[in-house]
Amino acid sequence: MSSLNLDDFTDLIERPDGGVRRDAEAYRERQIVPPGSLGRLDELGEWLAAAQGAVPVRPIEHPRAVLFAGDHGIAGLGVSARPAGSADQLVRAVLEGASPASILARRLGVPVRVVDMALDCDPAGLPDEVVRHRVRRGSGRIDVEDALTPEEAEAAFRAGVAVADEEADSGTDLVVLGDISVGGTTAAAVLVAALCGTDASVVTGRGGLAIDDLTWMRKCAAVRDALRRARPVLGDQLQLLAVVGGADLAAMTGFLLQSAVRKMPVVLDGVVAAACALVGQRVAFRAPDWWLAGQNSGEPAQAKALDRMAIEPLLDHGVTVGEGAGALLALPLVQAAAALAAELPEKPSAEAEETEDEPEPEPDPAAEKEVEAGTAAGPRAEPEPGTAAGARAEAEPSGREA
């Protein structure tokens, strides 16, 4: 029996501070640029203020790219343009600085951390800090067998929690979350289809390295077969990750939930991160308030998952390369929102005083004379009805009528 109770995350995760967000909105209204004129950047600045619990917003100074890596047995069916078991080559390219993600991260000054969860290679060929959390060598073929045993799923989930704690403790103030995998988009499509109640064809995309129509049909069939195995375990999210997920996906889910516990904002990259976020939402409904979607990769499963969580991507460049590259492109936008929210000057004090202390209108002399005349004459006493004076008043016509 597992000692891990995912229901605890529901109690541990709080929403970003709503009071601070209102303070940020009020602060924004006092700034010299009219509220709303910066579009989505205004919303981002207020979200960051609530996440940080600070007004004005603190700059994003210590971002980090965290990439979980793994091979998936389902790739052996030919559902990917890459050979099965070749994710370690992608990892080495990142570590050597030769991948799109590592080039972008270097340009942006963002450290990259790679976490091997289930690469199908000899761990001795990779640095110790990369392989120390590995659960197994490759995940199972999810169309006919479970991706992980229950024990492996728990170990992978706990590894993700541990990585989140390590990042939060080291001062990381925002994480770009991505994956390095072969076959991972197939597992992600299964998770999204299962949680959203859709058919395989609705969520099956072309993957990071675009596949042809025949490969897409094989991939769609694999998603359909795995989906049949996923439906009976929908009530248990950890078991769902064990049956049709994988070690990297289980770790990413744990990482996302613990990041929300530690109040550490996360920018999601592609379909794999979105699928794990959707699993995390099922565990703790407040958790998505701590996440942003960096970009729309064009994968249908990603669009379905983000729509279900009501998260709108920041960019729409169709970057499918994975490894956090698309989310890294969105990082300058988030940093710009923080800078604008904190550094825009407030309206000049003289302008504010003029608005608050408007001069009283000068009195009208003619109106004053009328008021004085009416006051001198005094009010006219009306006779009470039922008296003799009242009867004479009713009987006698007024002078104006005569």
Side-chain angles (χ1 to χ4, degrees):
M1 180 67 69
S2 172
S3 60
L4 182 62
N5 184 5
L6 298 189
D7 292 338
D8 291 341
F9 286 99
T10 302
D11 300 325
L12 292 171
I13 294 174
E14 303 174 355
R15 294 189 190 278
D17 195 319
V20 172
R21 180 156 192 161
R22 289 188 292 272
D23 291 343
E25 292 173 359
Y27 181 78
R28 179 69 183 88
E29 290 174 358
R30 297 195 300 271
Q31 290 178 321
I32 195 167
V33 177
S37 59
L38 295 174
R40 187 95 188 262
L41 294 177
D42 276 339
E43 178 189 340
L44 274 176
E46 292 162 6
W47 177 82
L48 281 170
Q52 295 176 355
V55 177
V57 179
R58 296 189 297 270
I60 304 296
E61 295 181 334
H62 303 289
R64 179 97 158 191
V66 179
L67 312 177
F68 288 89
D71 280 296
H72 294 260
I74 197 70
L77 290 179
V79 298
S80 173
R82 300 186 187 278
S86 62
D88 63 304
Q89 299 174 16
L90 301 175
V91 167
R92 289 187 174 90
V94 171
L95 296 177
E96 293 166 3
S99 73
S102 55
I103 292 170
L104 288 172
R106 186 166 60 248
R107 173 61 59 181
L108 296 171
V110 179
V112 178
R113 178 179 184 178
V114 178
V115 184
D116 170 16
M117 297 305 304
L119 289 175
D120 189 9
C121 68
D122 184 355
L126 294 170
D128 291 341
E129 65 268 18
V130 172
V131 301
R132 66 187 176 94
H133 288 293
R134 179 186 283 197
V135 169
R136 59 179 283 170
R137 182 166 175 165
S139 297
R141 216 184 92 178
I142 57 175
D143 63 325
V144 294
E145 63 179 346
D146 291 350
L148 307 166
T149 66
E151 294 75 20
E152 290 168 343
E154 180 175 345
F157 188 96
R158 288 185 182 278
V161 170
V163 172
D165 282 332
E166 291 167 7
E167 291 302 325
D169 292 341
S170 68
T172 299
D173 52 12
L174 184 138
V175 172
V176 172
L177 181 65
D179 72 289
I180 306 175
S181 63
V182 175
T185 61
T186 303
V190 176
L191 289 173
V192 173
L195 293 172
C196 294
T198 58
D199 295 332
S201 60
V202 175
V203 296
T204 304
R206 300 279 175 169
L209 188 60
I211 56 178
D212 57 25
D213 291 344
L214 182 59
T215 305
W216 181 87
M217 286 188 285
R218 285 197 298 267
K219 184 175 181 179
C220 193
V223 172
R224 178 200 62 211
D225 293 341
L227 190 55
R228 293 195 189 103
R229 304 184 64 256
R231 290 188 179 115
V233 296
L234 279 176
D236 186 332
Q237 304 310 309
L238 192 59
Q239 189 177 0
L240 178 67
L241 290 166
V243 173
V244 295
D248 49 345
L249 276 70
M252 290 174 75
T253 305
F255 180 90
L256 282 167
L257 288 168
Q258 188 64 12
S259 294
V261 171
R262 298 298 303 271
K263 301 182 178 181
M264 183 170 60
V266 177
V267 183
L268 309 173
D269 180 37
V271 62
V272 175
C276 296
L278 189 60
V279 178
Q281 183 201 39
R282 283 295 186 97
V283 174
F285 66 95
R286 288 185 287 264
D289 289 351
W290 294 95
W291 310 329
L292 296 172
Q295 56 111 21
N296 175 18
S297 67
E299 281 285 310
Q302 184 202 25
K304 195 77 176 174
L306 295 180
D307 181 67
R308 181 59 61 95
M309 293 183 290
I311 298 176
E312 183 182 352
L314 296 176
L315 301 176
D316 190 2
H317 294 331
V319 177
T320 61
V321 71
E323 304 168 6
L328 280 166
L329 289 171
L331 178 59
L333 195 65
V334 180
Q335 292 174 315
L340 288 167
E343 298 175 25
L344 275 175
E346 296 189 33
K347 297 173 185 176
S349 56
E351 180 182 337
E353 289 174 3
E354 286 177 6
T355 305
E356 294 174 1
D357 303 326
E358 293 183 357
E360 295 183 2
E362 296 183 1
D364 184 356
E368 286 184 353
K369 289 181 180 179
E370 290 181 4
V371 172
E372 290 174 0
T375 305
R380 180 180 178 182
E382 296 290 339
E384 295 182 8
T387 63
R392 285 196 302 272
E394 290 176 1
E396 294 176 2
S398 67
R400 285 191 300 273
E401 290 177 354

